[in-house]
Amino acid sequence: MKLATYKDGSRDGQLVVVSRDLSTAHYATGIASKLQQALDDWNFISPQLHDLYVTLNQGKARHAFPFDPAQCMAPLPRTYQWADGSAYINHVELVRAARNSEVPETFYTDPLMYQGGGDDFIGPRDDVIVPSEDFGIDFEAEVAVVTGDVAMGCTPEQALEGVRLLMLVNDVSLRNLIPAELAKGFGFFQSKPASAFGPVAVTPDELGDAWQGGRVHLTMESTWNGRKVGMCDAGPEMTFHFGQLIAHIGKTRNVRAGSIVGSGTVSNKGVPGADGKTEWPKGYSCIAEKRCIETILNGKPSTEFMKFGDTIRIEMKGKDGLSLFGAIDQKIAAPNS
C-alpha cells in the first residue's frame, strides 16, 4: 500500500491512497482524513485503505485522479517524534578518519542517534529554505520508518513488528554550525533544520524481498545539480537495522504510533583501486562524506557545500526499475527568494 498527504492549506493535509505505479491517487475521505489518524487505529483503518488501494490499482476507483508529487506534503507532515540514527558506521569511520581520530568501540554495539524537530517537515518538491550559504548546506539521503505503538523494553525483533511504513528522507544538515553545537556537549539543534520526505510512504510488503532483516536492500540514488553523485546500497552495510534502532529508543520509553526513525546517511565502504588507493565507486549520499574522502586522499576537501539555486534529487527504485517512493526533488533557496 502507498500513502501520501496532499496540501489543503492545513497543517496536516489530506490523506490520499496512491497507486503502485504512482500514476493515480484517491482521497481516503470516509476512511481517514490524516495519516496520523490511520496510524493511531492501524488495525481497523489500514484494511480499509488497502481495499481502496486494490480498487485503485485495478482502475476501478470512481474518483481517482492523476497523482502529482508537487501537491504533496511530507507523508506525515508533523510527528510526535523524529529520531535519526547513524546506522551506517562507514559514514562515522570516514568522518573520524578525516580528522585522524578513532571510532569508539561502543559505536559498533550501541546505535548513535539524535532527536530532531518533528513539528515542521517539508514536502518532496518544496524548496529547502536556509538563511545563509555560509552555514554549509548539505543533503543527506536516508531511509526512514514510521512506527505503530512499540512498548518500552522491546527486543529488536518485537520492534520490527511495529514498522508500519517506509519513506525516503533528505535530512538537511548545516555542516558549518555543527562543530560549535557539538562542542557544547548537548548535540545537534540549529544545525538540523526541517527534513524533507519523499512523496509516498509505503508498507513493507511493497518492497517484497528487498525488505529483509529490517533493512532495505535497494540502491539509494542521489543527483546533485543534475549529476548523479550517489548509487549507494542501502542494505548490506547498514550496521544497525531498524528493529535495533527502534529498540534503542524503546530502552527507556514507549515508542508511540507515528514516530519516525531515520537510518542516517546511506554509506558504502571504499574498495581498492588499480593504483592501490581506495576508491568509492558507489559515490556518496551527503557532501560531508565526499569532503572526508577528499581529505583522506588529498589532505584537504575540495568540494564545496550547496549554494542557493542548487538542486538535489533523491530516489530509490524497486527491482522492477520503477520509482518506489517517488522522488525528493528540491532546490536550495534563500528566505523570501
Side-chain angles (χ1 to χ4, degrees):
M1 184 165 58
K2 300 190 176 186
L3 304 172
T5 295
Y6 257 37
K7 298 175 181 178
D8 67 352
S10 72
R11 293 181 188 270
D12 298 303
Q14 285 289 318
L15 180 63
V16 298
V17 177
V18 183
S19 63
R20 180 170 285 114
D21 64 2
L22 306 181
S23 65
T24 58
H26 195 291
Y27 284 107
T29 309
I31 303 173
S33 58
K34 318 293 183 191
L35 181 53
Q36 183 63 51
Q37 179 186 351
L39 292 163
D40 285 338
D41 197 6
W42 187 255
N43 289 339
F44 177 70
I45 292 177
S46 65
Q48 300 174 64
L49 293 173
H50 187 266
D51 287 345
L52 177 55
Y53 180 63
V54 171
T55 303
L56 185 63
N57 286 323
Q58 293 173 341
K60 298 178 180 179
R62 291 182 58 194
H63 301 293
F65 52 86
F67 178 60
D68 182 4
Q71 297 302 314
C72 288
M73 306 172 76
L76 190 59
R78 52 181 176 165
T79 180
Y80 296 110
Q81 177 162 241
W82 159 229
D84 197 20
S86 188
Y88 296 86
I89 293 300
N90 180 66
H91 176 72
V92 180
E93 291 173 339
L94 285 172
V95 171
R96 294 283 176 140
R99 61 181 194 232
N100 294 313
S101 65
E102 298 278 332
V103 178
E105 283 298 320
T106 56
F107 280 38
Y108 295 92
T109 58
D110 197 36
L112 183 67
M113 302 190 82
Y114 82 91
Q115 189 105 36
D119 59 325
D120 185 31
F121 295 140
I122 53 180
R125 298 291 191 272
D126 296 341
D127 288 348
V128 177
I129 307 297
V130 181
S132 172
E133 290 179 342
D134 295 337
F135 290 171
I137 308 165
D138 199 357
F139 67 91
E140 289 191 55
E142 306 184 10
V143 184
V145 298
V146 185
T147 76
D149 286 326
V150 181
M152 180 171 59
C154 61
T155 66
E157 293 72 27
Q158 291 168 335
L160 273 183
E161 295 176 4
V163 172
R164 298 288 180 256
L165 300 163
L166 293 102
M167 305 185 292
L168 291 186
V169 191
N170 177 14
D171 181 42
V172 182
S173 292
L174 305 179
R175 299 295 183 184
N176 293 341
L177 301 185
I178 288 177
E181 290 203 315
L182 294 185
K184 294 179 179 179
F186 219 50
F188 303 121
F189 200 80
Q190 292 176 337
S191 53
K192 290 290 188 177
S195 297
F197 292 82
V200 300
V202 309
T203 49
D205 60 292
E206 289 291 328
L207 278 67
D209 61 7
W211 175 246
Q212 289 184 32
R215 298 173 175 89
V216 178
H217 292 264
L218 294 170
T219 300
M220 180 71 79
E221 302 180 14
S222 301
T223 305
W224 178 18
N225 290 335
R227 177 173 169 262
K228 193 162 286 184
V229 296
M231 290 288 288
C232 298
D233 292 338
E237 295 181 51
M238 188 179 185
T239 310
F240 301 103
H241 63 67
F242 278 110
Q244 292 169 302
L245 296 179
I246 297 167
H248 180 77
I249 301 170
K251 182 175 181 177
T252 59
R253 66 178 85 171
N254 293 313
V255 182
R256 291 308 188 192
S259 294
I260 302 176
V261 182
S263 67
T265 305
V266 176
S267 180
N268 295 153
K269 290 183 179 296
V271 297
D275 58 359
K277 291 185 177 181
T278 303
E279 298 177 349
W280 282 265
K282 294 176 183 176
Y284 52 91
S285 300
C286 72
I287 301 167
E289 190 162 300
K290 172 65 170 174
R291 288 167 59 87
C292 288
I293 291 169
E294 292 166 346
T295 300
I296 293 166
L297 294 178
N298 308 315
K300 62 180 181 179
S302 55
T303 301
E304 295 185 347
F305 289 116
M306 303 179 86
K307 305 296 183 184
F308 295 144
D310 279 12
T311 59
I312 179 63
R313 181 182 177 92
I314 297 169
E315 191 170 20
M316 184 174 274
K317 295 175 181 176
K319 294 185 177 181
D320 58 3
L322 300 178
S323 185
L324 185 60
F325 303 92
I328 296 173
D329 202 343
Q330 300 181 293
K331 182 175 72 175
I332 309 299
N336 303 315
S337 62

